[in-house]
């Protein structure tokens, strides 16, 4: 592929209108800070967020300054050329020449694919993203630049080969790349192939309930955005979008609204940095994202999703501000791999205006790094365990029973990871008392003990109280965890430099110190019962409680003048309310 200087004249066989029709999405639209990005590039700075700034040769196609596969991936997508392209389209000749120079350099080093020395030049998703970046630059080359047309054709042929196509969102980006490069080459077969693949994949990406298949709250949102854009690309090329697409994307929006916390933040499920619900996806997601000021709320207070999420909340702001509602998110189901963690059986709790109990979060995509190995493990999540027994992380956690009434939401999980030993977790939320009972028990032929781990939101102060802990948050808010029955051994681990335990990954390569609370049952009694609840705005009091030998749980609770007598048996829950 010979290097030929461009005269700026257009290539007749290319559809230059694609550069306008398809120039949308975060990596392709005109940057709002275009001048700043151009100035940084001209100063020799290659910026690939969230990575550090690198001041090396951008056309060193084997560069790996941070020993990080995400940086190598971004480098080979050529997404960092987007500001140059927009400047060139506005008449900046230096920007145009630099765009052409870099693209030509990439082609010389990496085409054919057998020639490349990089592990990411033709790795899944980098190829699809780059195909779009290259296609959108069609107005920047001249008719004598045959190397550029050949480069587009090579990308088209590469992406047409089914052996190069992978699954999940990486595959989607490949389909999008094929669609756009096919459109600019006026290749209707390539466009139709891309859309056919999208149709086939879409129904597995979002199931009939609208749940994504990657086991991550943030990737559920990402996939809504990416798939919406992909179907917009198809529509912009005159392709018909299936009716089922709109229906499932609408359902996916409802799922996202249920997963989200009342403050509009997403809980860190799987590989998820902390983030907010994105606006503009649907009416129900806009309702959550705006604090209830726009859109409309979902109709249900609970949602059980076959792909392993249970959402349970006190309401949608009907009787109190939305941000003050209580919310629990429960994980269960089959192992999803992709961007999931070993978190099934885990529980996230938000109440009284903030999150209290969390999982340990996300650090980076460097899977073998100690931080990521720990954060993915069961030990970094709010799960129950049989002490001294090895757990099979890929075993299912089944939803054995559920019952939802106006008084309570009741869910029972069975963790099949211990072979013949059955570990059950029962989670009951009491709507008016606004509190939870978490009951973990083991059925085994052996004398075993059960433990619970609870990870506390960074910045929250945990103090030991009688048979429990008091968590103190912002604005004098507090949350209590109290174990019912006798013989529970409690311990607290605060993050330190000695180990990764109790550290929380909040964003890319960022760990914040947190606290892990642990409860262990006494020997001969493999049963733990915890009562959890916010003390805002009125403190929750335990007037009386007991756990019988037959595992019946009895409580007499109070909030101000409201009192509840609650009995939990294996087959029923009885709530009697009174006020004084």
């Amino acid at each position: 592929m010979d290097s030929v200087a461009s005269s700026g004249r257009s290539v007749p066989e290319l559809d230059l209108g694609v550069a306008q029709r398809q120039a949308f999405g975060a990596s392709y639209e005109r940057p709002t800070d275009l001048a700043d990005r151009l100035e940084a590039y001209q100063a020799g700075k290659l910026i690939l967020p969230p990575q550090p700034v690198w001041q090396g040769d951008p056309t060193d196609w084997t560069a790996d300054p941070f020993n990080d596969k995400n940086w190598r991936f971004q480098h080979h997508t050529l997404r960092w050329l987007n500001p140059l392209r927009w400047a060139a389209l506005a008449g900046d000749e230096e920007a145009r020449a630099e765009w052409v120079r870099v693209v030509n350099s990439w082609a010389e080093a990496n085409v054919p694919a057998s020639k490349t020395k990089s592990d990411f030049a033709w790795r899944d998703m980098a190829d699809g993203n780059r195909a779009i970046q290259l296609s959108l630059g069609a107005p920047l080359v001249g008719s004598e630049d045959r190397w550029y047309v050949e480069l587009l054709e090579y990308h088209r042929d590469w992406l047409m080969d089914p052996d190069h196509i992978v699954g999940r969102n990486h595959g989607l980006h490949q389909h999008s790349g094929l669609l756009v490069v096919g459109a600019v080459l006026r290749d209707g077969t390539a466009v139709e192939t891309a859309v056919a693949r999208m149709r086939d994949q879409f129904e597995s990406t979002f199931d009939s309930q609208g749940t994504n298949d990657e086991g991550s709250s943030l990737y559920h949102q990402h996939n809504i955005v990416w798939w919406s854009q992909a179907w917009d690309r198809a529509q912009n090329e005159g392709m018909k979008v299936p009716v089922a697409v709109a229906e499932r994307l609408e359902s996916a929006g409802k799922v996202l609204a249920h997963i989200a916390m009342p403050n509009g933040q997403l809980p860190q499920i799987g590989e998820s940095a902390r983030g907010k619900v994105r606006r503009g996806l649907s009416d129900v997601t806009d309702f959550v994202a705006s604090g209830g000021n726009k859109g409309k709320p979902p109709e249900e207070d609970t949602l059980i999703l076959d792909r392993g999420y249970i959402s349970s909340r006190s309401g949608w702001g009907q009787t109190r501000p939305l941000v003050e509602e209580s919310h629990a998110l429960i994980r269960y189901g089959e192992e999803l791999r992709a961007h999931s963690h070993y978190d099934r059986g885990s529980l996230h709790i938000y109440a009284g205006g903030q999150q209290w109990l969390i999982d340990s979060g996300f650090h980076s995509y460097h899977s073998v790094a100690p931080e990521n190995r720990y954060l993915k493990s069961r030990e970094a999540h709010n799960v129950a365990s049989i002490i001294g027994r090895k757990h099979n992380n890929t075993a299912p956690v089944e939803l054995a029973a559920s019952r939802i009434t106006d008084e309570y939401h009741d869910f029972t999980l069975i963790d099949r990871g211990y072979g013949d030993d059955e570990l059950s977790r029962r989670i009951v939320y009491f709507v008016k008392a606004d509190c939870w009972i978490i009951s973990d028990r083991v059925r085994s032929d052996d004398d075993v003990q059960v433990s619970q781990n609870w990870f506390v939101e960074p910045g929250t102060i945990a103090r030991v109280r009688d048979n429990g802990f008091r968590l103190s948050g912002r604005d004098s808010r507090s949350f209590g965890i109290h174990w019912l029955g006798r013989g529970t051994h409690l311990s607290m681990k605060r993050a330190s430099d000695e180990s990764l335990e109790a550290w929380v990954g909040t964003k890319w390569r960022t760990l914040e110190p947190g606290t892990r609370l642990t409860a262990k049952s006494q020997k001969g009694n493999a049963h733990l019962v915890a009562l959890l609840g916010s003390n805002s705005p009125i403190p929750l009091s335990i007037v009386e409680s007991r756990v019988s030998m037959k595992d019946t749980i009895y409580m007499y609770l109070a909030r101000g003048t409201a009192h509840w007598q609650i009995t939990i048996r294996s087959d029923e829950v009885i709530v009697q309310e009174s006020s004084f």
Side-chain angles (χ1 to χ4, degrees):
M1 188 175 293
D2 297 327
S3 176
V4 181
S6 171
S7 66
R9 296 190 300 271
S10 63
V11 182
E13 66 262 43
L14 300 182
D15 183 349
L16 302 187
V18 170
Q20 292 181 318
R21 296 194 300 272
Q22 300 292 348
F24 59 90
S27 297
Y28 314 107
E29 62 195 14
R30 187 183 189 280
T32 56
D33 57 347
L34 178 59
D36 292 338
R37 293 198 186 191
L38 287 172
E39 182 180 355
Y41 184 83
Q42 291 163 356
K45 298 177 181 179
L46 187 59
I47 303 175
L48 303 178
Q51 310 286 351
V53 175
W54 182 55
Q55 292 186 281
D57 177 7
T59 59
D60 177 359
W61 303 112
T62 60
D64 186 14
F66 308 111
N67 188 30
D68 190 284
K69 67 179 185 179
N70 178 267
W71 189 93
R72 301 197 302 278
F73 156 73
Q74 292 199 65
H75 188 212
H76 281 276
T77 64
L78 302 184
R79 60 176 55 170
W80 43 278
L81 289 179
N82 192 47
L84 288 173
R85 179 173 58 83
W86 281 100
L89 290 172
D92 187 329
E93 178 57 28
E94 290 185 7
R96 188 200 67 80
E98 178 64 3
W99 189 94
V100 171
R101 183 189 76 83
V102 171
V103 169
N104 187 272
S105 170
W106 189 93
E108 291 288 345
N110 299 291
V111 177
S114 59
K115 178 181 180 181
T116 185
K117 295 180 180 180
S118 169
D119 61 342
F120 265 93
W122 293 101
R123 193 158 171 174
D124 55 44
M125 192 165 77
D127 50 17
N129 278 266
R130 185 176 57 251
I132 299 177
Q133 291 288 353
L134 295 174
S135 298
L136 298 182
L140 307 184
V141 299
S143 58
E144 67 274 25
D145 289 322
R146 296 307 308 170
W147 64 268
Y148 171 75
V149 177
E150 292 170 7
L151 181 60
L152 295 183
E153 291 172 340
Y154 192 91
H155 277 77
R156 175 201 59 195
D157 296 344
W158 175 271
L159 293 169
M160 282 289 285
D161 187 340
D163 289 341
H164 297 148
I165 304 302
V166 296
R168 293 193 165 92
N169 75 78
H170 290 204
L172 168 63
H173 288 287
Q174 292 179 303
H175 306 332
S176 296
L178 178 59
L179 190 156
V180 175
V181 75
V184 78
L185 289 169
R186 302 183 191 273
D187 185 337
T189 300
V191 173
E192 290 172 2
T193 299
V195 174
R197 289 174 177 174
M198 287 166 56
R199 289 194 196 102
D200 291 342
Q201 184 178 332
F202 182 77
E203 289 190 2
S204 62
T205 298
F206 291 104
D207 65 12
S208 60
Q209 293 177 300
T211 314
N212 180 246
D213 61 351
E214 303 205 54
S216 161
S217 54
L218 188 61
Y219 273 84
H220 180 91
Q221 175 163 273
H222 283 336
N223 272 278
I224 295 174
V225 174
W226 290 331
W227 276 97
S228 297
Q229 291 177 349
W231 287 115
D232 285 345
R233 294 192 191 285
Q235 201 163 26
N236 286 352
E237 299 307 323
M239 304 300 288
K240 186 176 181 180
V241 179
V243 175
V245 167
E247 295 173 349
R248 291 205 178 189
L249 286 175
E250 183 179 0
S251 296
K254 184 176 78 169
V255 170
L256 184 64
H258 274 275
I259 288 175
M261 294 180 286
N263 63 356
Q265 299 282 332
L266 290 174
Q268 287 186 271
I269 306 294
E271 291 181 342
S272 297
R274 296 197 168 193
K276 298 179 179 180
V277 174
R278 182 166 173 165
R279 299 196 182 208
L281 300 180
S282 70
D283 284 344
V284 291
T285 54
D286 280 350
F287 182 83
V288 176
S290 68
N293 294 320
K294 295 182 179 179
K296 62 181 182 180
E299 296 177 357
E300 317 93 338
D301 291 338
T302 61
L303 192 63
I304 300 173
L305 299 165
D306 295 339
R307 275 186 170 157
Y309 300 92
I310 301 172
S311 174
S312 165
R313 66 181 68 221
S314 55
W316 294 98
Q318 296 94 334
T319 61
R320 50 178 152 171
L322 178 62
V323 72
E324 298 292 337
E325 298 282 11
S326 295
H327 177 245
L329 191 69
I330 305 162
R331 288 282 287 121
Y332 78 104
E334 302 286 339
E335 169 63 15
L336 292 177
R337 301 184 188 277
H339 290 285
S340 64
H341 284 179
Y342 297 132
D343 62 344
R344 285 159 303 122
S346 187
L347 176 69
H348 296 242
I349 289 185
Y350 173 108
Q354 69 177 83
Q355 56 184 336
W356 299 98
L357 300 178
I358 62 171
D359 280 346
S360 293
F362 164 72
H363 188 255
S364 75
Y365 296 106
H366 192 39
S367 60
V368 299
E371 296 90 344
N372 292 311
R373 292 173 66 89
Y374 169 70
L375 293 176
K376 184 175 181 177
S377 70
R378 291 187 82 250
E379 290 73 23
H381 297 86
N382 295 329
V383 296
S385 300
I386 301 177
I387 298 173
R389 296 291 175 88
K390 184 175 177 58
H391 185 269
N392 177 5
N393 291 333
T394 62
V397 175
E398 299 172 5
L399 176 61
S402 64
R403 188 178 182 189
I404 299 165
T405 73
D406 292 340
E407 295 178 319
Y408 60 85
H409 308 157
D410 184 6
F411 311 99
T412 299
L413 309 179
I414 304 294
D415 189 334
R416 300 298 183 186
Y418 289 103
D420 293 335
D421 293 337
E422 181 180 282
L423 172 59
S424 67
R425 164 162 279 189
R426 190 172 181 182
I427 302 162
V428 187
Y429 173 64
F430 299 98
V431 178
K432 291 185 179 180
D434 199 13
C435 62
W436 294 263
I437 278 287
I438 313 299
S439 172
D440 292 318
R441 60 180 300 180
V442 179
R443 295 191 183 279
S444 174
D445 294 334
D446 301 321
D447 184 5
V448 297
Q449 294 171 268
V450 63
S451 69
Q452 297 171 342
N453 276 345
W454 298 105
F455 289 87
V456 179
E457 168 70 3
T460 302
I461 299 172
R463 296 184 176 89
V464 179
R465 290 292 184 264
D466 291 340
N467 213 29
F469 297 94
R470 179 185 176 90
L471 309 183
S472 299
R474 61 180 185 273
D475 301 329
S476 301
R477 297 173 185 265
S478 68
F479 185 90
I481 309 177
H482 185 90
W483 278 267
L484 310 184
R486 298 180 179 180
T488 305
H489 174 74
L490 304 179
S491 62
M492 178 166 50
K493 168 71 176 178
R494 291 191 173 94
S496 69
D497 294 336
E498 298 172 358
S499 73
L500 288 167
E501 294 176 290
W503 287 91
V504 177
T506 55
K507 59 182 179 180
W508 183 262
R509 294 187 180 275
T510 300
L511 293 174
E512 294 187 22
T515 304
R516 184 193 66 202
L517 310 177
T518 301
K520 296 180 180 179
S521 68
Q522 63 181 348
K523 290 183 178 180
N525 181 28
H527 190 197
L528 287 173
V529 180
L531 172 68
L532 302 81
S534 170
N535 291 311
S536 302
I538 302 173
L540 175 67
S541 300
I542 304 174
V543 180
E544 182 183 355
S545 70
R546 61 179 179 271
V547 180
S548 76
M549 294 298 292
K550 294 183 178 181
D551 297 327
T552 297
I553 303 167
Y554 171 79
M555 298 175 292
Y556 185 15
L557 307 179
R559 282 191 188 273
T561 59
H563 293 236
W564 299 270
Q565 294 184 56
I566 298 173
T567 303
I568 303 174
R569 298 190 179 96
S570 60
D571 58 348
E572 67 177 343
V573 176
I574 301 171
V575 181
Q576 296 175 301
E577 182 180 3
S578 60
S579 59
F580 299 95

